[in-house]
Amino acid sequence: MTTGRDGLTRQGFLGAALAAAVGGGAAQGGTSALHRRPIPASGETLPVIGLGTWRGFDVGEKAAERTPLREVAAALFAGGGKVIDSSPMYGRAEGVTGDLVAEAGARDRAFLATKVWTSGREAGLAQMQRSLQLLRTERIDLMQIHNLLDWRTHLPVLRDWKAAGRIRYLGISHYTESAYDAVEAVLRAERLDFLQINYALDDRAADERLLPLAAERGVAVLVNRPFGGGGLLRRLAGRPLPDYAAELGCTSWAGILLKFVIGHPAVTCAIPGTADPGHMAANLRAGTGPLPDEALRRRMVADLLR
């Protein structure tokens, strides 16, 4: 049976990851604290709900634009969250993120993730240096090679930066299903700390090979687009909540969809994007209390996609 970097079998790692966050039963656990999952490369734990900054954080300096985002960041930290994911391709989001974290004096509470998305070694170095400046930090927690663009050039640089303490973790990110074969090949061939991939109740292609492989290889997983791009939420909006909503402690469809995602034991943290502090607080609540086991997750797919 295949083992990951820490010597655990795939099943053993999945069990350890799940035990770190929840207990057993059809609805696992029962606590108001935000669940946490381990990063296999280090054992450090992360809260299962974080924050994505695409679109929502691409704003200017006006108070009307910044104030709601300041409240989003405050809600994230107050609710026990810490992961904030950004990218140079998100317009002004990196700079806004850096400003808000610095204003809140929250650098020690934030896990800052961003990406390199360019071709060529020198261009990559310049882009990553700019990210350090915009995020107002001397060390980025996670640097990801986005869409595998020129990954053979960037990966050795990321390893050097990690050895020098300029980043803490390295990984890759993608969101296009047609590229999953290439993502799988890199996961099998290279030693990585993180994979960021899209995964949702109506977008489960990553469940076929990538999530099991990440668990097998000891790679933490960030999930973007946990609502599947929003279409499913819109379709479900007029339907009554299912009977298991109360069992899971959910009062909204968004909470149910997030619980489905983080109910997968290979998922380390879901990072739904929002510019609404109320949505941020609600997302965090989905990371508390019971989570669906595999049997309930299968039922959710059957019920909600019909």
Side-chain angles (χ1 to χ4, degrees):
M1 186 175 291
T2 307
T3 58
R5 71 178 65 177
D6 55 3
L8 290 173
T9 64
R10 172 186 163 194
Q11 286 83 358
F13 173 76
L14 288 172
L18 194 56
V22 294
Q28 305 155 347
T31 174
S32 60
L34 191 59
H35 295 303
R36 301 177 72 94
R37 292 249 171 88
I39 301 170
S42 66
E44 176 186 0
T45 62
L46 291 179
V48 295
I49 300 293
L51 170 64
T53 60
W54 182 54
R55 289 187 176 174
F57 276 55
D58 182 14
V59 302
E61 298 183 2
K62 294 180 180 179
E65 298 174 306
R66 292 287 182 106
T67 297
L69 301 182
R70 190 172 291 111
E71 295 173 357
V72 167
L76 174 74
F77 298 129
K82 64 186 303 180
V83 178
I84 306 177
D85 179 75
S86 196
S87 172
M89 68 178 179
Y90 295 174
R92 295 161 289 188
E94 280 186 311
V96 172
T97 298
D99 290 349
L100 296 181
V101 171
E103 289 173 14
R107 180 63 188 95
D108 60 339
R109 289 181 284 160
F111 184 98
L112 297 179
T114 192
K115 306 171 185 76
V116 56
W117 190 57
T118 188
S119 296
R121 184 176 187 277
E122 295 307 315
L125 285 167
Q127 191 176 77
M128 292 191 295
Q129 186 62 48
R130 179 63 173 159
S131 292
L132 284 167
Q133 295 168 356
L134 290 171
L135 291 169
R136 298 199 188 189
T137 186
E138 295 181 354
R139 183 172 64 170
I140 290 171
D141 295 293
L142 169 61
M143 183 66 73
Q144 303 153 100
I145 302 170
H146 185 56
N147 281 2
L148 297 180
L149 181 60
D150 204 7
W151 70 268
R152 290 180 178 85
T153 297
H154 298 314
L155 189 55
V157 177
L158 265 60
R159 297 199 195 288
D160 290 344
W161 274 41
K162 183 178 177 181
R166 304 191 77 183
I167 62 175
R168 297 177 60 219
Y169 299 102
L170 58 86
I172 59 175
S173 62
H174 220 298
Y175 63 90
T176 305
E177 185 178 344
S178 61
Y180 283 5
D181 286 347
V183 172
E184 180 181 1
V186 175
L187 275 178
R188 291 190 183 278
E190 302 292 341
R191 189 179 179 90
L192 304 172
D193 301 319
F194 274 83
L195 167 68
Q196 182 178 150
I197 204 75
N198 45 298
Y199 181 61
L201 189 143
D202 64 342
D203 182 8
R204 303 186 312 284
D207 210 355
E208 296 176 9
R209 298 194 308 272
L210 295 185
L211 293 182
L213 180 59
E216 178 181 307
R217 296 283 291 166
V219 176
V221 175
L222 297 184
V223 168
N224 60 63
R225 300 185 67 183
F227 300 126
L232 181 58
L233 268 178
R234 287 190 293 271
R235 293 198 302 273
L236 293 172
R239 291 172 55 175
L241 295 180
D243 55 4
Y244 49 77
E247 180 183 1
L248 293 173
C250 291
T251 58
S252 71
W253 283 112
I256 288 172
L257 297 184
L258 278 176
K259 292 242 182 188
F260 173 85
V261 169
I262 61 176
H264 195 300
V267 171
T268 309
C269 177
I271 49 171
T274 186
D276 184 313
H279 290 169
M280 183 73 258
N283 291 344
L284 289 166
R285 286 194 294 274
T288 69
L291 298 179
D293 64 10
E294 186 56 30
L296 182 50
R297 292 177 76 251
R298 287 195 298 268
R299 179 184 168 192
M300 292 165 78
V301 171
D303 288 350
L304 303 185
L305 297 185
R306 69 175 188 270

